[in-house]
Amino acid sequence: MAGLESLLNDLANLDAQHDLEGMRRVRQQIVQEHPESEAAVEAIYKLGLDLLFRDRNLVGAVEKFEEAARRKHPFWSGAARTSLGLCYYHQGRLQKALFELRRVAYPQEPNAHSVTALSFLETLFSNEGQRDEVKRVRKDRIGQLEHLVRVSREQQQPTERGYYLYMLGLALKDAGEDGRAKAVLDDAKSHGPDVLGADLFRSIIAAIER
């Protein structure tokens, strides 16, 4: 049996080589040989993504996401539950989709997963023509993002603050608050590409110009 650290090193090397099939194989090995590890939860979730996006295997992906969600990992189970909600929606299981997304969207403390789940809830309600629910959920998303902006400032996390300012700016644009959105996006832009990273900085510039 291979050691977990060795397998994780193999996974990192395969990722650098963009060897998707090799990464799938190593993740399966992690789950099989180290099933109780935190790395196994991540591996199960990412195997689900692999089944979904590479194989277009929705049923298989749902099984992996359900398994990862059951593990109750503080990070990966939330990611799995969000993906699970979207998969249920595409299977025509609206109520199960809403149930899973709501479980992620309303934790005791807002986090990256919760605001993502709220964004997907907005999309689902919009698709279903439920405008009042769209407005209610958008208000919740804006409130959570404002909280995350405050927390990241207090904890002196400029990269995270810039990201949440960007997400808040987009949410405010969705809400029709263009003036406030511009101020928030300008604040995000002021962190600069060295702090934000080039990709996020370009996204902020594009949002300001839209």
Side-chain angles (χ1 to χ4, degrees):
M1 183 176 75
L4 179 58
E5 185 174 351
S6 175
L7 290 171
L8 292 174
N9 286 334
D10 289 345
L11 191 61
N13 290 332
L14 291 165
D15 189 14
Q17 298 166 25
H18 306 289
D19 185 346
L20 301 180
E21 194 60 40
M23 292 170 69
R24 175 186 285 189
R25 185 180 64 253
V26 172
R27 284 180 175 132
Q28 290 170 334
Q29 191 174 355
I30 289 171
V31 174
Q32 181 179 356
E33 297 182 3
H34 304 277
E36 301 306 317
S37 66
E38 290 193 0
V41 186
E42 179 181 357
I44 293 166
Y45 169 64
K46 290 186 176 178
L47 284 168
L49 293 179
D50 195 45
L51 286 166
L52 183 62
F53 293 112
R54 279 214 300 148
D55 294 355
R56 305 299 181 188
N57 183 349
L58 182 59
V59 173
V62 164
E63 290 175 355
K64 294 299 183 185
F65 294 148
E66 287 176 337
E67 183 178 356
R70 285 195 297 270
R71 298 294 189 96
K72 298 182 180 179
H73 186 276
F75 183 86
W76 295 112
S77 292
R81 204 172 290 284
T82 302
S83 297
L84 184 59
L86 295 177
C87 287
Y88 282 154
Y89 183 70
H90 287 290
Q91 289 180 324
R93 304 157 76 181
L94 175 61
Q95 293 308 313
K96 285 184 71 69
L98 294 176
F99 176 77
E100 295 297 342
L101 289 171
R102 282 171 173 146
R103 288 186 67 176
V104 182
Y106 294 101
Q108 288 186 340
E109 283 290 318
N111 55 56
H113 289 318
S114 66
V115 293
T116 299
L118 285 168
S119 180
F120 287 136
L121 280 170
E122 281 184 50
T123 300
L124 265 59
F125 283 129
S126 180
N127 291 346
E128 297 299 315
Q130 299 185 37
R131 294 183 180 180
D132 289 343
E133 286 299 309
V134 170
K135 291 178 181 179
R136 181 185 63 78
V137 172
R138 182 173 296 146
K139 181 179 178 181
D140 293 342
R141 178 161 64 106
I142 289 171
Q144 288 198 14
L145 285 165
E146 289 172 336
H147 173 83
L148 290 167
V149 167
R150 287 194 300 272
V151 169
S152 59
R153 182 182 64 243
E154 292 165 0
Q155 296 180 353
Q156 298 183 348
Q157 298 172 320
T159 302
E160 289 80 359
R161 183 170 184 270
Y163 171 74
Y164 290 128
L165 282 167
Y166 167 63
M167 297 301 293
L168 177 58
L170 296 183
L172 290 167
K173 276 180 170 284
D174 289 342
E177 298 186 38
D178 291 343
R180 189 173 166 215
K182 185 180 185 307
V184 167
L185 290 168
D186 284 342
D187 192 356
K189 177 186 172 183
S190 70
H191 288 70
D194 291 341
V195 170
L196 299 170
D199 289 343
L200 177 56
F201 187 73
R202 281 195 295 267
S203 296
I204 292 168
I205 296 298
I208 291 171
E209 294 176 350
R210 281 202 297 271

